[in-house]
Amino acid sequence: MTSILNRIGFNLHSRKAALSAISRSFSTFQKPNYAFAFDIDGVLIKGKHHIPEATRALKLLNGDNIHNRNIPFVLLTNGGGVTEEEKARQISKLVGIKIDPKQVVLSHSPMQNLATKYHDKRVLIVGGKGRNCYDVAKKYGFKEAVTPHDIMHWNSSVWPYSTPTSDLSILTSTAALNFPKLPIHAVMVFHDTYDWGRDLQIMLDVLCSQGGIMGTRKPDYTIQDVPLYWSNVNLSSHLNTDFPAPRLGQGAFKIALDSLYKTLTGSDLKSTSFGKPHGATYQFAEQVLELLEPQSQSSRRRVYAVGDNPAADIQGANGYGWTSVLVRTGVFTGKGNSDDFPADIVCENVEEAVLNIIDKEETHSNE
Ligand SMILES: [Mg+2]
């Protein structure tokens, strides 16, 4: 065989090159058994500005790499308060790469799985601006969603320290709902609240009520029959403000509610939390990756989680068994690795991370 190749002019170098090309083209037939999950703020964008390396990193994943491979990725953020479509539009505009809404996992995205249970049950949706979160909930399939605005519209003495909205377009129904006859079956916090006092009071009213009826009180506070769900428990807000110090977020609001419930009832308030670093969010992101790119291989897909926040991104990825990648373009700016939640890989920025991982994965798959 060697002599035949030699006779027809195939020297060692060209044979090696041919074999390498065959190997590369074979690998393009196989779907990649790895994927990426990017945090958004501090990795792809910073506030209202994009991080230049992010555009190049996403182009690499969309096939613009020496292996001509399309590598699946999702954006995984603790932000929210808008639909996945709106977030995809915002990020596409900032980064200059078209993002499909299916690739966006917001803090409240995994809560759409709860719609199977609550699709025809009245649920209280808390947080966000105007009726944005109500619109998100309706899109997820919560047909009977209501908001604190609806409760204030029904009876403004629920919270006498602020006035009901005069913007009737943000109500879910222009006619006042008769809450004494409408039990609330679950409370779901989709985003940071814009009115802490009102929402603390209304949530306590529902959680302390008998069977979710506003204005009643249950006889036994050790029993909690209205479940409570949080979309993330970050102490700091995701809102970008001009103030030089972080603002209180949903996690701070949770501490206030838990503390008040305990003080008022003597019992602990039970709840379920989503968002990073909670496992339910990672499980949901894997569902999304499977929909985007069904796995053709039996071995579990390797997911590289790229983030800037050790406590959320790195702790969550490590806990779920993904490979954690810490970048220095956001919260973390230290020289080495994080002391509290060390990452598997540390890179300067998202482009460096993507280049190194593609190189490692494709070299390995061609061996
Ligand atoms: Mg971040």
Side-chain angles (χ1 to χ4, degrees):
M1 180 67 172
T2 310
S3 59
I4 296 169
L5 287 170
N6 282 342
R7 272 208 303 277
I8 60 172
F10 250 96
N11 61 27
L12 191 63
H13 177 75
S14 57
R15 263 184 287 155
K16 266 191 171 173
L19 283 170
S20 167
I22 291 164
S23 171
R24 267 204 309 277
S25 61
F26 178 71
S27 80
T28 59
F29 287 121
Q30 271 192 328
K31 286 180 181 174
N33 199 27
Y34 66 102
F36 286 82
F38 297 104
D39 177 43
I40 296 180
D41 212 350
V43 175
L44 304 181
I45 63 167
K46 206 157 192 187
K48 294 190 171 91
H49 307 283
H50 91 293
I51 293 173
E53 292 85 1
T55 307
R56 296 196 289 270
L58 298 188
K59 272 189 184 161
L60 284 166
L61 298 176
N62 283 344
D64 191 5
N65 57 66
I66 57 167
H67 310 280
N68 298 319
R69 297 268 264 172
N70 280 300
I71 297 135
F73 66 92
V74 290
L75 308 189
L76 182 61
T77 172
N78 271 359
V82 291
T83 60
E84 287 76 8
E85 285 75 10
E86 174 59 18
K87 184 58 90 178
R89 196 191 59 75
Q90 292 171 3
I91 304 299
S92 300
K93 196 172 165 203
L94 276 173
V95 181
I97 300 279
K98 180 102 182 71
I99 303 288
D100 189 309
K102 291 193 206 80
Q103 293 176 288
V104 177
V105 179
L106 302 170
S107 66
H108 43 67
S109 300
M111 292 163 90
Q112 60 195 277
N113 286 343
L114 294 168
T116 315
K117 184 176 178 187
Y118 294 107
H119 66 102
D120 58 351
K121 303 254 185 336
R122 188 155 298 94
V123 294
L124 178 67
I125 304 294
V126 180
K129 221 173 192 173
R131 58 178 267 173
N132 287 357
C133 287
Y134 167 78
D135 292 337
V136 174
K138 287 290 271 192
K139 198 202 86 174
Y140 288 170
F142 298 101
K143 290 187 206 143
E144 300 296 326
V146 291
T147 70
H149 291 299
D150 296 317
I151 292 175
M152 285 293 279
H153 187 56
W154 156 64
N155 187 342
S156 61
S157 60
V158 163
W159 183 244
Y161 308 103
S162 60
T163 49
T165 179
S166 55
D167 180 4
L168 298 186
S169 70
I170 69 172
L171 298 171
T172 66
S173 157
T174 43
L177 297 168
N178 188 8
F179 281 96
K181 292 217 165 97
L182 301 172
I184 291 169
H185 295 274
V187 179
M188 300 180 186
V189 186
F190 268 36
H191 197 49
D192 295 327
T193 167
Y194 279 62
D195 192 335
W196 273 50
R198 180 199 67 186
D199 291 349
L200 278 172
Q201 178 70 75
I202 288 175
M203 287 170 75
L204 283 169
D205 281 332
V206 176
L207 295 163
C208 292
S209 72
Q210 189 159 20
I213 295 287
M214 287 290 293
T216 64
R217 285 291 180 267
K218 59 187 170 186
D220 181 358
Y221 287 114
T222 61
I223 296 167
Q224 189 179 330
D225 45 15
V226 179
L228 169 62
Y229 301 93
W230 301 94
S231 67
N232 81 67
V233 289
N234 288 134
L235 280 180
S236 303
S237 169
H238 273 77
L239 291 177
N240 291 306
T241 73
D242 292 333
F243 199 74
R247 304 294 80 202
L248 296 175
Q250 201 181 129
F253 182 71
K254 178 179 185 296
I255 291 170
L257 184 75
D258 286 345
S259 171
L260 277 168
Y261 189 89
K262 177 82 177 177
T263 306
L264 292 170
T265 70
S267 294
D268 290 320
L269 182 59
K270 295 180 204 71
S271 58
T272 303
S273 299
F274 294 91
K276 295 180 281 188
H278 298 282
T281 285
Y282 291 86
Q283 208 176 355
F284 183 80
E286 281 196 338
Q287 279 178 28
V288 171
L289 280 168
E290 185 59 26
L291 286 174
L292 289 171
E293 184 76 67
Q295 266 179 295
S296 57
Q297 296 166 60
S298 54
S299 57
R300 188 184 175 195
R301 191 197 319 258
R302 293 174 294 282
V303 183
Y304 294 90
V306 186
D308 68 307
N309 184 335
D313 304 319
I314 306 306
Q315 183 185 192
N318 289 348
Y320 194 69
W322 286 1
T323 305
S324 55
V325 187
L326 182 59
V327 291
R328 294 196 175 87
T329 44
V331 170
F332 180 79
T333 51
K335 275 203 160 52
N337 205 334
S338 161
D339 290 332
D340 298 330
F341 304 103
D344 297 314
I345 302 167
V346 185
C347 291
E348 284 307 310
N349 57 57
V350 64
E351 185 186 16
E352 185 186 301
V354 167
L355 273 171
N356 288 347
I357 291 161
I358 291 181
D359 188 49
K360 188 189 90 170
E361 281 284 345
E362 298 298 330
T363 307
H364 175 72
S365 72
N366 283 346
E367 276 168 359

